[in-house]
Amino acid sequence: MMLKKARMDKAIDKVFFALGTINYIKIFDFAKEDAIEKAIDRVTEIDNRMSAFKTESDLSKLSRNSGERFQNIHKDTFQLIRKAVEFSDLSNGAFDITIRPLVELWGINKKGSFVPSEIEIQEALRLVDYQDIQLDSESLSAALKNQGQALDLGGIAKGYAADEVKRILVENGIQSAMVNLGGNVITIGSRPDGQPWQVGIQNPIAPTGNYLGVLSITDKTVVTSGSNERFFIKDGIHYHHILDPRTGKPVQNSLLSVTAVCTCSTDADALTTALFILGPEKSMPLLQKFRAEAIFVTDDLTVTVTNGLIRHFKI
Ligand code: ADP
Ligand code: MG
């Protein structure tokens, strides 16, 4: 008992803002505080390269040159874009990082309760097609085929950053850690007392911190995407930040949240966005392909847990 306490006391944690969200890193080794700083620097670097807002980011450069020329981008950005494109293929276009013009148009949580006209939606939708992303791996450059096209890595970059944080902490000898980058949880090892990590699954219709259940996991990532994070309701319709590239509108189905559990946070992040759009039935091949498990929560608070997770999930 004493030993357990002494080990728990070695916890050291940091909260920081990056990637447009609040992030949290907790490790269990006082001597390794440096590792947290290195991880935070890396997240900041990823944010600077992959932000859709920062004017000197790779994404901003790409959109400024859209329809005109190839642009050299950093290897990290290049590889993540390539991964996102693979994901688009695998999800039949449900996940599509050329979604940016639609994200701008809707401006969920930025323009109040603004619903664009059908004409505006169709205009933006014409610019959404991941097959217009051109990649040249020789020169590490990319281009967007048509003027006005732009990328948005908001559905995958937090996962990538979480994988990078884990890599850096592990390289620095950390054996036990809990990381949460704006809802992308990744863990290292087990808790210092040897028990699995406990990750609460948020009740989507209750205040933050109210859980529908708890997942016990070791060395896994848990990523949740919800339609109650950024949204507004107008004329009884719930408009939120996950957009369906087929309709140009926020996905309309009975899902309130989707959680993906696997080993790679980049995969889990892209998966949650895709699963949200595809719904539970059509998601199964994707889950199998990525050896991932999932939890689906619908608006009547029905919780569907895939087989591999049942043992690890407690209501
Ligand atoms: P969160 O940002 O809450 O973690 P997601 O991982 O699902 O949720 O990412 C949602 C973000 O991804 C949106 O804010 C937007 O920037 C972008 N996005 C929205 N719809 C799509 C889509 N169909 N494909 C790819 N990215 C999307
Ligand atoms: Mg996502």
Side-chain angles (χ1 to χ4, degrees):
M1 218 40 212
M2 282 308 289
L3 180 66
K4 265 185 207 170
K5 184 163 182 347
R7 288 163 100 196
M8 285 299 245
D9 280 348
K10 289 200 301 183
I12 156 165
D13 57 6
K14 284 234 158 111
V15 176
F16 62 103
F17 192 86
L19 304 164
T21 188
I22 306 218
N23 308 291
Y24 172 79
I25 299 177
K26 183 175 195 172
I27 63 172
F28 291 86
D29 196 337
F30 264 147
K32 303 254 167 71
E33 191 171 351
D34 272 11
I36 296 193
E37 293 309 324
K38 283 184 202 159
I40 294 176
D41 287 348
R42 178 68 177 129
V43 175
T44 308
E45 183 176 69
I46 291 169
D47 192 9
N48 289 339
R49 283 180 189 143
M50 304 191 189
S51 159
F53 311 101
K54 301 191 175 183
T55 50
E56 286 316 304
S57 73
D58 283 340
L59 292 207
S60 293
K61 288 179 190 161
L62 276 175
S63 53
R64 275 201 294 277
N65 288 315
S66 64
E68 285 180 19
R69 65 183 73 81
F70 272 80
Q71 166 71 45
N72 277 100
I73 52 179
H74 192 273
K75 192 165 155 230
D76 294 345
T77 319
F78 186 91
Q79 285 173 347
L80 193 61
I81 292 175
R82 188 157 62 191
K83 183 136 200 190
V85 171
E86 281 166 22
F87 228 91
S88 297
D89 269 328
L90 292 169
S91 64
N92 291 319
F95 184 82
D96 190 330
I97 57 168
T98 60
I99 200 86
R100 185 76 211 156
L102 272 172
V103 172
E104 294 261 359
L105 174 65
W106 280 91
I108 302 281
N109 277 187
K110 289 189 179 144
K111 295 186 179 175
S113 304
F114 169 75
V115 177
S117 71
E118 205 53 51
I119 294 174
E120 289 172 310
I121 291 173
Q122 290 312 319
E123 230 165 69
L125 203 47
R126 272 194 299 140
L127 298 169
V128 178
D129 186 352
Y130 70 93
Q131 301 192 45
D132 293 338
I133 302 174
Q134 300 167 316
L135 294 168
D136 180 39
S137 45
E138 289 277 297
S139 60
L140 283 182
S141 62
L144 302 172
K145 210 164 154 194
N146 304 302
Q147 204 179 359
Q149 289 191 304
L151 303 184
D152 186 330
L153 291 168
I156 190 169
K158 278 187 293 205
Y160 173 69
D163 285 330
E164 284 294 284
V165 167
K166 177 163 180 168
R167 177 181 64 77
I168 288 166
L169 296 182
V170 168
E171 277 174 14
N172 281 271
I174 309 282
Q175 292 174 350
S176 172
M178 158 72 89
V179 175
N180 186 345
L181 306 188
N184 288 242
V185 171
I186 196 161
T187 61
I188 297 175
S190 49
R191 288 192 332 202
D193 62 4
Q195 295 298 311
W197 292 103
Q198 307 287 313
V199 180
I201 302 300
Q202 172 69 31
N203 177 341
I205 57 168
T208 308
N210 288 273
Y211 300 127
L212 283 176
V214 177
L215 268 178
S216 299
I217 50 152
T218 307
D219 255 324
K220 282 261 152 56
T221 181
V222 179
V223 178
T224 299
S225 249
S227 59
N228 275 8
E229 290 158 28
R230 275 177 282 149
F231 73 101
F232 64 88
I233 292 172
K234 194 174 182 185
D235 302 329
I237 301 176
H238 179 218
Y239 297 95
H240 58 87
H241 72 307
I242 300 174
L243 302 171
D244 189 333
R246 297 164 297 193
T247 62
K249 297 174 186 169
V251 184
Q252 297 292 334
N253 56 25
S254 59
L255 287 173
L256 282 186
S257 84
V258 176
T259 299
V261 182
C262 59
T263 49
C264 170
S265 208
T266 311
D267 291 347
D269 194 2
L271 269 175
T272 56
T273 311
L275 301 190
F276 207 101
I277 295 169
L278 296 172
E281 290 83 24
K282 288 195 181 141
S283 295
M284 291 309 151
L286 261 186
L287 288 173
Q288 275 161 9
K289 160 103 191 145
F290 288 93
R291 294 160 162 246
E293 302 289 338
I295 301 171
F296 297 90
V297 182
T298 48
D299 48 17
D300 56 0
L301 288 191
T302 304
V303 182
T304 308
V305 181
T306 54
N307 287 339
L309 268 194
I310 293 172
R311 249 169 2 103
H312 304 276
F313 186 67
K314 257 212 311 276
I315 300 260

